[in-house]
Amino acid sequence: MMIESEHLIAAPRHRTRTAIYLAAMRAFAREVRALGFTVDYRFAQTFAQGLAAHRAAFHPEVIVMNHPRGRRATRLFTGLGVELLPDPFFLTDPEAFAQSVSGRTTLSMEHFYRSQRRRLGILMEGDEPVGGRWNYDEDNRKPLPRDGGRWPEVWSRPLDADEQALVDQLDGSHLGGDALEFWPRTRADARSQLHHALLNVLPTFGPFEDAASSGHWALSHTRLSVALNLGLLHPTEVIDGVLRAFDDGLVPIASAEGFLRQIIGWREWVWAWHRVLDDDYRSSNALSAHEPVPASWRSMGDHDMACLRVVLGHLHDYGWTHHIERLMVLANAATLAGINPVELNDWMAENFVDGAEWVMEANVLGMGTYADGGRISTKPYVSGGNYLKKMTNFCKGCAFSPTERTGPTACPLTNGYWNFLLDHAETLGSNYRLAPQLRAAQQRPDRVEIQREAQRCRSIILGRPSKSDTLISQ
Ligand SMILES: Cc1cc2nc3c(=O)[nH]c(=O)nc-3n(C[C@H](O)[C@H](O)[C@H](O)COP(=O)(O)OP(=O)(O)OC[C@H]3O[C@@H](n4cnc5c(N)ncnc54)[C@H](O)[C@@H]3O)c2cc1C
């Protein structure tokens, strides 16, 4: 049985995100039928109604499903008497993970990742990492090349007639562009995208993992998160493919290691955490951030700051931005401007094509905004405009200067970064990873001016004129 709930179609989400889910469900039903199975494909207002209608029509003794990833869905389906099977799309035993974190306040991702490498025997020679190093972060921080770089072609498949009709149907009711062609909807698409990624994208993934460009939305990112999250690819086949490409000399160690760290490290880590955490985590707001998600972000429209303009544009056009754009532009700007992390989490989950409750939570409330007070991430990922100036071409032509902390053309991220350190000195004072920056902020000769101008700079990030702007323009 499959249920297409009206909620899935009507919810105000990115058009491409909704289209991917519906197209993938419909394609899956067709594929399973072609294998000779009976599929009861239902359209219902809610899952509960669809399930009740299925029970009334077929009188099944038992209904089983793979364990949902989100806590809300888990509660819903257990409440509806559905038996849950273990989620087959992860490599970690959630019970064992729960035991390993029980009683601890933190457990570092690096520790978890190394234990995954050992347990799964990935890139290992005995008990030692292949190549003698556990990570190649140093090699993987190249900025965007000055000439803009050369990037692999982006995988795509044209829409068939049914898919085109679906996208057209969503036009007008959903925000965001039509980029369905760039995302896999079938198992064959996913395998083709993986093949393309192994041959063309992964070889240059590592070195430019942290770079970003206004001229190219995908750079050397595999964009496999949709296929993995939808269950069109199993992590094992991705891992095996990468190891084969590495053994064949097609992918260098820095790229292979950097990529596998995401799959067996981060992805498994945030999923396992989601199973351990409870609903209290969802309301985390350790830094007391209460600004709403700005209207200009919600409409994914224009913005005075070039970095936000580019990244919101990528989100609008494709329903996706790569990791650094999510972390160092959206989450960073949100943290510096004091945007409510829970609202940010929900907005991102609704608009990213790979967004889901289980994966957003630790990424947004933990890594992205430090809203959980350091439970998942050892420090807030905040930075001023200089970081973006070094790694991207976003600052070129921007009305604000990344090197200026105060004054009319001060970059709101640069001012925001120093002000953040001054504002949260007490809360973050005991964080040893941030101690040098906190000390530097408190010794700045211009710290009073930075704080005086902080509200005006926050208003620019939030896309609304502040009182002082009004005064200046009068
Ligand atoms: C604020 C924020 C929000 C995010 N929201 C999501 C989300 O809703 N869904 C999602 O799948 N990822 C999310 N991520 C993680 C990561 O940014 C995306 O998985 C990645 O950008 C997808 O592109 P890719 O497939 O090219 O990834 P690659 O960089 O090629 O990585 C390979 C795979 O590893 C997995 N992965 C990598 N990093 C993470 C991570 N931090 N958490 C979980 N899985 C990871 C993904 O499945 C990804 O496909 C978020 C990160 C941040 C900082």
Side-chain angles (χ1 to χ4, degrees), residues 175 290-303 305 308 312 330 333-335 337-340 343-344 347 351 458-464:
L175 276 180
H290 298 295
E291 291 288 352
V293 173
S296 57
W297 291 34
R298 286 193 182 281
S299 64
M300 297 173 271
D302 203 4
H303 199 284
M305 293 163 65
L308 279 165
L312 290 169
L330 292 176
T335 309
I339 292 175
N340 182 294
E343 263 200 41
L344 179 75
W347 169 71
N351 289 296
R458 264 199 296 266
S459 297
I460 297 170
I461 298 176
L462 297 169
R464 60 178 188 230

Side-chain angles (χ1 to χ4, degrees), residues 415-432:
N415 173 283
Y417 169 73
W418 291 106
N419 183 63
F420 176 89
L421 295 173
L422 293 166
D423 265 5
H424 296 290
E426 212 169 291
T427 336
L428 302 173
S430 56
N431 187 309
Y432 76 98

Side-chain angles (χ1 to χ4, degrees), residues 235-256:
T236 307
E237 61 188 325
V238 177
I239 294 164
D240 289 349
V242 176
L243 293 176
R244 256 197 321 273
F246 171 65
D247 286 343
D248 292 347
L250 298 173
V251 174
I253 181 76
S255 290

Side-chain angles (χ1 to χ4, degrees), residues 183 202 205 209 218 220-226 228-229 258-259 261-264 266-268 270-271 320-324 326-328 330-331 344 348-349 352-360 363-364 367-369:
W183 301 104
L202 209 55
F205 165 73
E209 200 178 328
S220 283
H221 290 268
T222 63
R223 302 184 304 107
L224 289 173
S225 50
V226 169
L228 282 162
N229 292 359
F259 181 79
R261 164 183 295 264
Q262 319 296 329
I263 302 278
I264 64 168
W266 281 107
R267 185 167 190 272
E268 297 279 320
V270 304
W271 172 75
W320 182 93
T321 73
H322 74 64
H323 187 69
I324 287 301
R326 299 182 200 203
L327 185 64
M328 300 315 289
L330 292 176
L344 179 75
M348 290 182 90
F352 277 81
V353 285
D354 55 15
E357 182 192 353
W358 66 272
V359 59
M360 276 292 169
N363 273 304
V364 178
M367 180 170 20
T369 62

